[in-house]
Amino acid sequence: MTELVIQTKGLYKTYKKRAAVEDLNLEIARGDIYGFLGPNGAGKTTTIRMLLGLIQPTRGAIHLFGKDLKSEKMDILRRTGSLVEYPSYYGHLTAVENLEAIRRITGSPKSRIAEVLEIVSLTKEAKRPVKGYSLGMKQRLGIAAALLNNPELLILDEPTNGLDPSGIHEIRELIKNMPRQYGITVLVSSHLLGEVEQMADKVGIIREGRMVFQDSIDNLIRTASSGFRLAVSEPEDALQLALDLGCEGTLRNHVLELESMQDAKVALLVKRLVENRHAVYRVEEKRKSLEDIFMQIVGEGSRP
Amino acid sequence: MMVRALSADWLKIRGKGIWFLAALGPIGLVAMQGLNFGLRYDYLMKSYADDPWGGLLENVLFFVPIALFLGITLVCSLMANVEHQLSSWKQLLALPISRTAVFSAKFVQAFLILCVSCILLTLGTAGLGLLLGMGVEQMPYLDLLRIGFVQLFAALPMLALQLWLSLTLKNQGLPVSIGITASVVSMFAFQFPNWMPLKWPLLAYMGPGEAKVIGAGLLLGVVIACAGLIHFNRKDVD
């Protein structure tokens, strides 16, 4: 069994009777990039704040690195780097001074400041006051701050929020490299599935405080497949042939639309079609877009 | 741990005008008395002929509480604002450092900044006395030191309260209003009963029961600081 870096059991957070997080069971294994997804207000940030000990859970247990957050908070935080929502910084200080203010608390070596600035490519801008930075630069500085104490676990809350496409791309590349280059486990939250899909191994989707899906991204994509389209020279005959083979489907605009089936059966169908002198123009998988799946999962059974 | 937080805090308040404020208070008080004595030099020197230093200290004395309370309010608020401004709490408190260390560091920092103000007041008053031609031989070293520091100790409850409010409330309106009100009211402190903490700075310097008042200031300060600390430790950070 792989080691779980983050594990929550029956986590609840209630604000004046309104449940922000309900019965949440997160499981994140070492070396994973875990995409934590959900629409705005679903409870992502609340969960992340609880993981960092910024707010107290109403109920439930949080274990990081197999240790209880309540009793071994300092040890856990020493091994964790975080960026919560929009970046925090001291605007009147330069990037180096901002990192120095954090370094004085974490006690990391001084040389580490230059290293993390290099990782997020801010070395050139390091001596400017941060208030003049673009949002993307501030966000990168936030990641540099999170990396300062050489964490084993990186918790990033919407790190690409408000960035332009090139900024998003940069941050994504940065995150993707974390497990590979530094062996860091990453929890990254977002409200965009398309964005997480490109970097995460595993996703958890949360809706109204509850986890509605938690599995690998591949399994998520598999549920996206919803049948085939087949373009052939004589569609009516071809449909009959397909139905004889036990496929289910209909004809639409002279194109066969078939329910999803095993690979072997697809091969057999194509073989039969060719044997019966049908010309097969196209065999395509009909896919729901990831956003559709996301909307479907998130939208399903919304409470009134 | 606390020392680490404190060392980071010194860095954070750079260029925030806090040192300027810390210097402005005592320099302002001294300048005011400079003006007072400068304009009415002959009259005042005649009326304080047997103890000119004592006369100068007495004139400074009555303005120390209001300056001190105002200073406490503004220093606490400015310090807290460094963290509130861009919601740095969530970053700071997610670092491997206890909230107790963070809170204590802020307390110590505010106290040290105010100590610097007190030293400036001592030096400034001494300088002004010499400038006005008061004798070096008669210089009352102890009273010159006491005028700032003794009152600071008696004002510790206010420091603890202001720090607590400033650090835990994002909206600084409440702590600042309370602080300013207290400062203004403290101008009439002389007429208050002795148990009123606003009167303590004056009592701690003039008596009766100087030592007891300082003790009370320390005690109440610690009690309020502890209450603030407990609240700060349990508070959810948004």
Side-chain angles (χ1 to χ4, degrees):
Chain A
M1 200 189 118
T2 44
E3 189 198 341
L4 290 178
V5 176
I6 299 182
Q7 186 175 32
T8 71
K9 283 184 195 147
L11 200 60
Y12 281 83
K13 178 72 187 179
T14 322
Y15 290 109
K16 288 176 189 153
K17 288 190 181 166
R18 195 187 68 86
V21 171
E22 269 185 277
D23 194 23
L24 195 73
N25 300 295
L26 273 180
E27 287 190 347
I28 301 171
R30 183 170 289 277
D32 265 357
I33 296 184
Y34 184 98
F36 192 34
L37 280 163
N40 291 330
K44 298 187 298 287
T45 300
T46 307
T47 306
I48 284 176
R49 284 174 198 265
M50 282 194 276
L51 292 178
L52 292 169
L54 290 172
I55 58 180
Q56 302 282 340
T58 311
R59 202 137 52 83
I62 301 174
H63 286 89
L64 277 82
F65 310 107
K67 295 177 177 183
D68 185 46
L69 180 67
K70 256 186 217 148
S71 52
E72 294 177 78
K73 189 169 154 189
M74 284 307 116
D75 185 57
I76 289 170
L77 291 179
R78 240 187 293 283
R79 299 161 70 180
T80 309
S82 64
L83 172 63
V84 181
E85 278 187 313
Y86 43 88
S88 304
Y89 52 90
Y90 304 104
H92 58 296
L93 302 179
T94 67
V96 173
E97 287 167 335
N98 264 282
L99 294 174
E100 171 67 14
I102 295 169
R103 190 201 68 81
R104 288 189 185 179
I105 289 172
T106 59
S108 325
K110 266 211 148 96
S111 57
R112 184 71 187 149
I113 292 180
E115 280 174 40
V116 294
L117 283 171
E118 187 64 45
I119 293 176
V120 300
S121 15
L122 275 178
T123 310
K124 268 190 219 158
E125 320 286 342
K127 299 266 192 287
R128 268 209 292 148
V130 175
K131 60 184 166 201
Y133 278 23
S134 70
L135 185 59
M137 289 161 74
K138 286 174 186 162
Q139 204 68 272
R140 294 209 307 262
L141 177 63
I143 293 181
L147 288 172
L148 198 64
N149 60 338
N150 260 317
E152 295 166 51
L153 168 67
L154 200 55
I155 296 181
L156 305 172
D157 188 13
E158 313 223 342
T160 53
N161 215 357
L163 297 188
D164 58 18
S166 76
I168 292 176
H169 180 77
E170 242 172 86
I171 302 258
R172 191 193 298 141
E173 290 307 308
L174 209 59
I175 292 171
K176 265 193 195 159
N177 278 331
M178 290 299 153
R180 254 183 271 149
Q181 281 190 338
Y182 311 102
I184 302 175
T185 309
V186 185
L187 166 67
V188 52
S189 86
S190 173
H191 52 262
L192 301 172
L193 176 61
E195 185 184 300
V196 162
E197 182 223 350
Q198 297 175 49
M199 50 189 174
D201 313 301
K202 204 176 161 188
V203 287
I205 300 179
I206 182 176
R207 192 196 71 214
E208 289 173 13
R210 287 177 171 277
M211 190 71 95
V212 285
F213 180 92
Q214 181 169 240
D215 207 336
S216 71
I217 194 100
D218 296 334
N219 279 343
L220 180 65
I221 292 170
R222 213 158 286 152
T223 63
S225 168
S226 63
F228 292 89
R229 266 197 212 102
L230 219 64
V232 290
S233 49
E234 286 138 54
E236 281 86 6
D237 290 355
L239 178 66
Q240 196 52 51
L241 200 131
L243 293 176
D244 289 348
L245 267 176
C247 307
E248 287 178 42
T250 52
L251 201 63
R252 189 181 294 168
N253 294 334
H254 308 288
V255 173
L256 271 70
E257 298 213 338
L258 302 170
E259 295 292 300
S260 61
M261 49 191 163
Q262 301 279 316
D263 288 354
K265 207 163 179 186
V266 181
L268 182 66
L269 174 61
V270 173
K271 192 170 159 227
R272 284 287 157 80
L273 287 171
V274 175
E275 280 168 3
N276 286 292
R277 302 188 175 274
H278 287 280
V280 178
Y281 304 137
R282 274 191 304 283
V283 181
E284 56 187 18
E285 193 171 16
K286 205 166 72 187
R287 274 196 162 198
K288 276 187 260 179
S289 78
L290 281 170
E291 289 309 315
D292 289 343
I293 309 166
F294 182 53
M295 287 313 295
Q296 189 187 328
I297 292 174
V298 166
E300 257 169 22
S302 282
R303 278 175 260 168
Chain B
M1 282 252 268
M2 199 273 278
V3 176
R4 285 184 176 179
L6 186 60
S7 128
D9 280 343
W10 290 125
L11 183 65
K12 290 179 203 166
I13 63 161
R14 265 190 211 167
K16 278 285 168 187
I18 296 182
W19 287 119
F20 172 74
L21 184 76
L24 185 71
I27 290 171
L29 283 191
V30 171
M32 206 162 72
Q33 287 316 314
L35 205 63
N36 182 21
F37 274 77
L39 291 175
R40 309 192 289 164
Y41 185 76
D42 296 329
Y43 169 76
L44 284 173
M45 287 312 265
K46 205 189 291 165
S47 44
Y48 297 124
D50 40 336
D51 183 12
W53 279 108
L56 175 63
L57 283 171
E58 195 186 297
N59 273 283
V60 173
L61 173 68
F62 286 97
F63 294 97
V64 176
I66 180 174
L68 197 56
F69 287 137
L70 266 181
I72 285 172
T73 304
L74 296 177
V75 166
C76 287
S77 181
L78 282 173
M79 274 173 42
N81 222 11
V82 172
E83 309 287 356
H84 285 307
Q85 203 166 28
L86 291 150
S87 307
S88 304
W89 290 115
K90 57 185 162 65
Q91 189 182 54
L92 177 61
L93 298 178
L95 292 175
I97 187 160
S98 71
R99 294 197 185 185
T100 306
V102 171
F103 190 88
S104 330
K106 295 275 182 210
F107 191 92
V108 170
Q109 185 179 32
F111 183 74
L112 291 178
I113 291 170
L114 291 162
C115 280
V116 169
S117 297
C118 290
I119 293 172
L120 286 177
L121 182 67
T122 299
L123 294 177
T125 312
L128 178 65
L130 294 175
L131 207 68
L132 292 169
M134 298 176 189
V136 185
E137 320 79 54
Q138 293 102 34
M139 196 195 274
Y141 297 101
L142 189 63
D143 280 350
L144 277 169
L145 265 180
R146 285 204 317 136
I147 195 153
F149 282 100
V150 164
Q151 306 207 49
L152 175 58
F153 278 105
L156 278 179
M158 189 67 177
L159 176 60
L161 181 69
Q162 284 299 325
L163 194 74
W164 175 6
L165 294 175
S166 300
L167 290 185
T168 51
L169 296 171
K170 186 167 169 85
N171 181 350
Q172 297 289 295
L174 183 67
V176 172
S177 327
I178 291 179
I180 290 178
T181 310
S183 314
V184 172
V185 171
S186 78
M187 291 208 288
F188 312 101
F190 209 64
Q191 296 149 29
F192 293 162
N194 288 354
W195 56 262
M196 270 284 290
L198 286 180
K199 194 180 180 180
W200 292 1
L202 281 182
L203 285 179
Y205 183 80
M206 305 170 56
E210 292 97 323
K212 232 198 287 178
V213 174
I214 293 173
L218 278 174
L219 190 71
L220 187 60
V222 169
V223 169
I224 296 177
C226 282
L229 178 64
I230 290 168
H231 178 212
F232 186 73
N233 262 313
R234 297 202 178 152
K235 200 179 158 286
D236 279 355
V237 180
D238 298 313

